[in-house]
Amino acid sequence: MKAVLTSGWGFQSRLTVQDKPAPGKPGPNDVLVKVHAASVNPKDWKLNYHIAMAASPLLVKRLPPLFGDDLAGTVLAVGSKVTDFAVGDRVYGMDMRLRTASLAEQTLINQKRIARMPVSLSFAQAAAMPLAAQTALQGLRKGKASAGSRVLIIGASGGVGTFAVQIAKIMGCHVTGVCSGKNVQFVRQLGADDVIDYTLGDYRDTAGPFDLVFDVTSYESPNTCAAMMAANGWFVSTGGDLRSMFFTPLYRLVGRNATTVVVESWRADLEALAAMVDSGTLGPIIDSEFGLADSEQAYQRSRSGRCRGKVVIRLVDEHGC
Ligand SMILES: NC(=O)c1ccc[n+]([C@@H]2O[C@H](COP(=O)([O-])OP(=O)(O)OC[C@H]3O[C@@H](n4cnc5c(N)ncnc54)[C@H](OP(=O)(O)O)[C@@H]3O)[C@@H](O)[C@H]2O)c1
């Protein structure tokens, strides 16, 4: 099968499509998926890319496919304990464990990490959802978002932020999004009640108070956002760098409501998101689409930090070819 691997090593490494053996038979709880589409998350190049770069030149050639967490595709085979999925089902999901690499024509994934795709979406649209939409959902829950909560979403125009704005509105929150000027109208169209253009100045002393500050950029901290927080308000970070990943939860030690969301894929969450999509209240935003052979360009686009929604990689066109 075709899979994305690295060629070269260290800073010379580039993603290329190569032939690799197909995954073996599914384990008892595994589903073998023919991947129709995958999507790119910053974690892919922050972590997986560096694992490949750190491996010795000799090891690089032997590495299994490592790239890609999100997938949408059709079931090719199921393990002995899988009763909820059958061959031919259209599924979507993600697994951050290295075993599941979605930039490959076939991959194995644990049955608890997938669900049936929203019926109203194409494979490319469905592949844009699992990691980013579940991060948004789980982050909002961790920050105790509920009807009437005043929620600030910093990074509202990116992969996670576009879902967070929409899901917070579905939860009945009053949503303020933060993005650059070129995305203000776009974030408003997603449903945000108010939008702040961060290029116009430091809003942190004037905006608020917010019951939840959901920082998707990882540039902020409970301290830098203190003036915007309501009493007992929550600060939730997606922990996009080591500082915010490890230090944000430590604010709990001094009595602050602060935490980091570390996304996990759960069937119940994927089903809840699919129901939102099929009821017409939630939709993925696609920044750009690439073919498998152009995975390196897709990663470069994500690395730009300027994506509006998600970068998708198609392995099969919508006619199944
Ligand atoms: N812990 C977890 O489980 C988890 C899960 C998912 C993601 N993450 C992390 O969360 C972060 C965001 O992920 P993502 O997929 O949403 O990334 P992304 O799609 O690459 O985010 C791009 C967006 O960030 C916006 N942005 C950049 N600088 C900004 C600023 N100063 N203020 C407000 N917005 C700004 C850009 O908007 P403009 O062009 O308008 O500036 C762009 O729309 C990453 O660091 C990722 O690693 C963590």
Side-chain angles (χ1 to χ4, degrees), residues 28 31-32 79 96 111 123 131 141 163 175 179 191 198 200 224 248 257-258 276 305 316:
V31 173
L32 178 66
M96 293 200 285
Q111 61 168 332
F123 288 108
L131 193 147
R141 279 190 198 137
F163 286 114
V175 177
C179 59
Y198 68 80
L200 295 182
T224 60
T248 302
N257 292 330
M276 293 178 206
V316 176

Side-chain angles (χ1 to χ4, degrees), residues 42 46 135 155 157 159-160 180 182-183 198 216 238 240 261 263 306-307:
K46 286 183 188 172
T135 305
S157 52
V160 177
S180 68
K182 67 178 185 303
N183 285 321
Y198 68 80
V216 179
T238 55
V261 59
V263 66
R306 298 272 79 85
C307 291

Side-chain angles (χ1 to χ4, degrees), residues 40-46 94 96 131-132 135-136 138 153-162 178-184 186-187 196 198-199 203 215-220 237-241 245 260-264 301-311:
V40 182
N41 294 286
K43 176 242 159 198
D44 296 343
W45 46 263
K46 286 183 188 172
M94 71 97 179
M96 293 200 285
L131 193 147
T135 305
Q138 293 167 15
I153 296 163
I154 308 175
S157 52
V160 177
T162 49
V178 179
C179 59
S180 68
K182 67 178 185 303
N183 285 321
V184 165
F186 164 70
V187 171
I196 297 171
Y198 68 80
T199 65
Y203 56 89
D215 177 27
V216 179
T217 65
S218 305
Y219 295 146
E220 302 297 346
S237 169
T238 55
D241 60 25
M245 178 64 82
T260 305
V261 59
V262 180
V263 66
E264 280 273 8
R301 174 62 191 152
S302 174
R303 291 176 84 113
S304 75
R306 298 272 79 85
C307 291
R308 187 187 266 191
K310 296 279 304 175
V311 175

Side-chain angles (χ1 to χ4, degrees), residues 2-7 14-19 36-38 40 102-105 289-300 311-317:
K2 303 256 178 279
V4 166
L5 301 159
T6 52
S7 67
R14 289 284 173 272
L15 300 185
T16 54
V17 178
Q18 298 176 35
D19 285 314
H36 287 239
V40 182
S102 58
L103 295 186
E105 287 177 319
E289 286 188 27
F290 295 84
L292 191 66
D294 296 323
S295 296
E296 177 70 33
Q297 285 95 310
Y299 268 47
Q300 296 304 339
V311 175
V312 168
I313 297 177
R314 277 174 186 267
L315 289 92
V316 176
D317 68 27

